[in-house]
Amino acid sequence: MVTKKPKIKQSVGSQYYAFNTPTEDGEFNPSTYEETIKTNTVKSIGVTENSDSTVVKASGIDYESVSSTENVELEVEVVAFDPDDLAKMRGEDVDESGLMSSGSSTQRPYFAYGKVVNKVGGGFRYEWYPKCQLVENTDDIATQEESFSEQNDTVTIRCYAFDDKGHVRNYVDSEASNFPDGLTEEKFFTKPIITKADLTAALAEGA
């Protein structure tokens, strides 16, 4: 018998995102992203997996259950969000005068979203969701009272499968037995990790 004591989660860390450069047809292109953006404005992240499970019956019994994740929704509470990036995620029209126009029927761009889960005692988990779209965002405001109170917003991000195997997320965990030696947060989030080759290239950064 082996007794294990996994580390508990302590706090959410930084968030990262990189806009996808689409194909000529405007479709998701897993090979090209813009420069990664990092912010330290996250208060909390809620994760909801939208899964489908099918029971295979044979010889009058439940033989096996086959499950697949259709998409994942992230509810990200932030203290602030860059207005240019938010407008871009919303697919808004922004002209050279600085006027931002919203509400029209436009296709919202894909982007990769990354987050950090910090654990008690120095552990961590780094995650990339390579194919995401903004679903909605809140923009509530209230009158300032005598003492300051946070007025946070929530952005809801839907994450889709990015390859033909149906994978939605790529991640590494510092407690895993095969955690890559020399991998740092900066290296992992330099650009979205889509394949094993991308992780190998990330490890070579600055080596």
Side-chain angles (χ1 to χ4, degrees), residues 48-143:
T48 302
E49 288 192 1
N50 298 310
S51 303
D52 180 57
S53 181
T54 301
V55 177
V56 178
K57 292 183 177 292
S59 300
I61 62 173
D62 293 345
Y63 182 74
E64 188 172 357
S65 293
V66 179
S67 300
S68 63
T69 300
E70 296 179 357
N71 59 68
V72 173
E73 285 198 359
L74 307 176
E75 287 196 1
V76 184
E77 182 187 3
V78 293
V79 297
F81 210 101
D82 182 86
D84 290 326
D85 295 336
L86 184 59
K88 189 171 182 177
M89 288 179 179
R90 287 170 53 86
E92 295 179 348
D93 295 322
V94 181
D95 65 23
E96 64 280 358
S97 71
L99 181 66
M100 299 178 177
S101 302
S102 65
S104 63
S105 179
T106 59
Q107 181 177 355
R108 295 186 172 186
Y110 289 108
F111 57 91
Y113 183 82
K115 66 185 180 78
V116 177
V117 177
N118 292 316
K119 302 181 183 182
V120 173
F124 52 82
R125 187 170 69 240
Y126 302 150
E127 306 178 13
W128 268 120
Y129 294 85
K131 185 180 181 181
C132 304
Q133 282 181 312
L134 179 69
V135 177
E136 61 183 6
N137 65 283
T138 61
D139 191 18
D140 301 330
I141 189 69
T143 299

